[in-house]
């Protein structure tokens, strides 16, 4: 009778029975050291199946060392922000979102402890406590940080999987009419009048106006060059640097009605010399958000604009007017210093008068085409369908208008 053969020894990992009766699986990491599975198993085959799955993951390159994801979220997210080289305002925003909205929930957790269910719960709680825009921005930051953790093989997969959670659906911003813009410019006083007008009709951002210098204003060409910006942080620090994006560096051709205001402001209020700031306070100091903000809110109240109307909303007026000229989307983006089509579309508004203008243009075009078709005989179906819609007098007018345009 032959000897009983022992089962072949495992080539990957090891399985052993614990005093409790449960089975433990251990597997080698990249350093060759055996490490235990995160859980124990009811049976030996269950433990061996788990080891087979780990071995397959390592062979495919999909295996993630559980110890790698043990770093806490607060430390990793802070380092993530430090390494990005962000603009001052973006850096400040991210640190505020981390401090107020992410760290209280995730800060002390290890990266590999943050799962989809925990994120869904956090988002639901934040949605009750703060605005939808802030929640969307916080979620986008969380998703970006966790994606880097996945790219660095600290976690297997990004746990942020809520569709549309990072999209902002802000309410339609108020838009000032042209007369309201001029009323605001008059109410705020002569020193700050041009700032209001450039914010609206040149689509300039407040931080761009704060760093505008005499050398950037070309009165002969009737244009302004935007090359720098000076956003003011919540700490009051004035940070001088590049515009918001690469598209922010641009030449803005001014409408002619602004030329006199530009000349007067440069003569009366701007600092002297090519490097002189165009906008300074009564005591010659650079523009400060807090001081200007008080004057803006007071003037806003005098004109009757809503309390939530911001200086940035002046860009809506200018960009909508520019769009109404029939300018191409690319030209509108260049004028406003925007790098994406989506950003430009935010600033274009379709009011009833715009819809009426479209309807009237369609009306005139159909009249012209109908008149042209009637003159050529047209098809039986066209004559039968279109002819009853308009009086003969309107057709005659449309034909005459079409002839005049062709002659011109």
């Amino acid at each position: 009778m032959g000897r009983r053969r022992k089962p072949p020894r495992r080539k990957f990992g090891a399985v052993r029975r614990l005093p409790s009766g449960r089975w433990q699986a251990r597997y080698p990491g990249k350093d060759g050291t055996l490490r235990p599975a995160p859980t124990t198993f009811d049976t030996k085959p269950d433990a061996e199946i788990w080891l087979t799955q780990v071995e397959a993951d390592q062979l495919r390159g999909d295996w993630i060392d559980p110890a790698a994801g043990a770093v806490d979220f607060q430390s990793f997210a802070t380092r993530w922000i430090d390494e990005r080289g962000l603009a001052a305002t973006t850096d400040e925003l991210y640190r505020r979102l981390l401090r107020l909205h992410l760290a209280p929930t995730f800060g002390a957790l290890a990266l590999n402890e943050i799962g989809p269910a925990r994120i869904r719960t956090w988002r639901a709680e934040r949605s009750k406590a703060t605005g939808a825009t802030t929640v969307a921005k916080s979620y986008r930051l969380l998703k970006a940080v966790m994606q880097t953790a996945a790219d660095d093989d600290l976690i297997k997969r990004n746990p942020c999987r809520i569709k549309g959670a990072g999209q902002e659906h802000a309410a339609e911003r108020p838009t000032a009419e042209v007369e309201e813009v001029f009323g605001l410019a008059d109410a705020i006083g002569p020193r700050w009048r041009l700032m209001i007008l450039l914010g609206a009709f040149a689509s300039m951002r407040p931080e761009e106006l704060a760093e505008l210098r005499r050398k950037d204003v070309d009165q002969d060409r009737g244009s302004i060059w935007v090359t720098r910006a000076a956003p003011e942080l919540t700490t009051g620090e004035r940070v001088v640097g590049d515009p918001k994006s690469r598209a922010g560096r641009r030449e803005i051709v001014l409408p002619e009605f602004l030329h006199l205001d530009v000349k007067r402001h440069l003569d009366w209020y701007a600092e002297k010399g090519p490097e002189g700031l165009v906008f300074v306070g009564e005591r010659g100091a650079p523009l400060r958000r807090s001081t200007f903000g008080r004057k803006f809110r007071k003037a806003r109240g005098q004109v009757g604009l809503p309390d939530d109307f911001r200086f940035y909303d002046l860009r809506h007026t200018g960009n909508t007017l520019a769009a109404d000229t029939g300018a191409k989307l690319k030209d509108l983006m260049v004028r406003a210093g925007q790098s994406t089509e989506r950003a430009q579309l935010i600033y274009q508004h379709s009011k009833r008068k715009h819809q009426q203008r479209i309807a009237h243009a369609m009306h005139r075009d159909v009249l012209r085409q109908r008149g042209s078709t009637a003159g050529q005989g047209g098809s039986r179906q066209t004559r039968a369908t279109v002819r009853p819609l308009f009086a003969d007098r309107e057709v005659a007018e449309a034909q005459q208008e079409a002839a005049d345009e062709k002659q011109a």
Side-chain angles (χ1 to χ4, degrees), residues 12 49-63:
F12 180 83
I49 291 173
W50 186 86
L51 280 176
T52 301
Q53 293 171 341
V54 172
E55 182 181 18
D57 286 343
Q58 289 191 1
L59 291 174
R60 288 194 302 264
D62 294 338
W63 179 75

Side-chain angles (χ1 to χ4, degrees), residues 208 225-228 242-243 245-251 334 337:
E208 296 169 347
W225 289 92
V226 179
T227 59
R228 305 281 281 173
D242 293 329
S245 66
R246 196 164 65 176
R249 299 177 65 91
R250 64 200 188 278
E251 180 187 15
V334 169

Side-chain angles (χ1 to χ4, degrees), residues 307-342:
D307 292 341
D308 64 340
F309 186 86
R310 307 169 304 181
F311 186 92
Y312 255 92
D313 293 329
L314 291 169
R315 283 163 54 87
H316 291 253
T317 300
N319 288 1
T320 301
L321 286 172
D324 285 349
T325 66
K328 294 183 295 185
L329 181 58
K330 180 62 177 178
D331 293 331
L332 296 173
M333 291 168 60
V334 169
R335 183 173 184 82
Q338 293 159 333
S339 55
T340 66
E341 295 179 0
R342 180 176 178 275

Side-chain angles (χ1 to χ4, degrees), residues 337-355:
Q338 293 159 333
S339 55
T340 66
E341 295 179 0
R342 180 176 178 275
Q344 171 56 221
L345 292 175
I346 291 174
Y347 287 96
Q348 292 185 27
H349 301 263
S350 181
K351 296 185 177 181
R352 177 172 174 78
K353 63 181 181 182
H354 302 142
Q355 295 297 325

Side-chain angles (χ1 to χ4, degrees), residues 53-83:
Q53 293 171 341
V54 172
E55 182 181 18
D57 286 343
Q58 289 191 1
L59 291 174
R60 288 194 302 264
D62 294 338
W63 179 75
I64 301 295
D65 185 352
V71 59
D72 67 276
F73 176 82
Q74 174 100 33
S75 300
F76 186 81
T78 301
R79 188 168 70 250
W80 185 93
I81 296 174
D82 291 340
E83 293 173 348

Side-chain angles (χ1 to χ4, degrees), residues 95-244:
R95 293 184 192 278
R96 184 170 68 251
L97 294 175
L98 174 61
R99 183 180 71 255
L100 298 179
H101 303 286
L102 297 179
T105 300
F106 304 113
L109 295 177
L111 293 173
N112 54 16
E113 293 179 319
I114 302 175
R118 196 186 295 267
I119 292 173
R120 285 195 300 271
T121 301
W122 162 82
R123 180 171 175 266
E125 293 174 348
R126 283 287 83 198
S127 297
K128 297 176 183 177
T130 189
T133 299
T134 300
V135 175
K137 289 179 179 178
S138 301
Y139 180 86
R140 288 203 303 271
L141 176 58
L142 174 63
K143 185 175 182 179
V145 171
M146 297 305 289
Q147 184 58 51
T148 300
D151 293 341
D152 292 348
D153 291 336
L154 302 181
I155 56 176
K156 191 169 185 178
R157 184 182 175 191
N158 191 335
C160 297
R161 303 168 200 166
I162 306 174
K163 291 185 178 180
Q167 297 177 2
E168 298 177 36
H169 302 284
E172 183 88 353
R173 294 300 308 163
T175 304
E177 300 293 342
V178 171
E179 287 306 313
E180 290 176 318
V181 172
F182 279 100
L184 185 63
D186 292 338
I188 205 168
R191 177 177 287 275
W192 305 110
R193 172 185 172 84
L194 181 63
M195 189 163 173
I196 297 295
L197 298 179
L198 292 180
F201 302 119
S203 297
M204 293 186 68
R205 301 179 177 94
E207 61 268 27
E208 296 169 347
L209 291 161
E211 187 55 20
L212 187 66
R213 298 182 180 269
R214 276 184 176 269
K215 65 179 183 180
D216 302 322
V217 182
D218 190 332
Q219 294 189 74
D220 294 332
R221 290 168 59 94
S223 63
I224 287 177
W225 289 92
V226 179
T227 59
R228 305 281 281 173
E232 186 176 330
L233 306 183
T234 55
T235 59
E237 179 184 0
R238 187 173 183 270
V239 183
V240 179
D242 293 329
K244 186 176 181 180

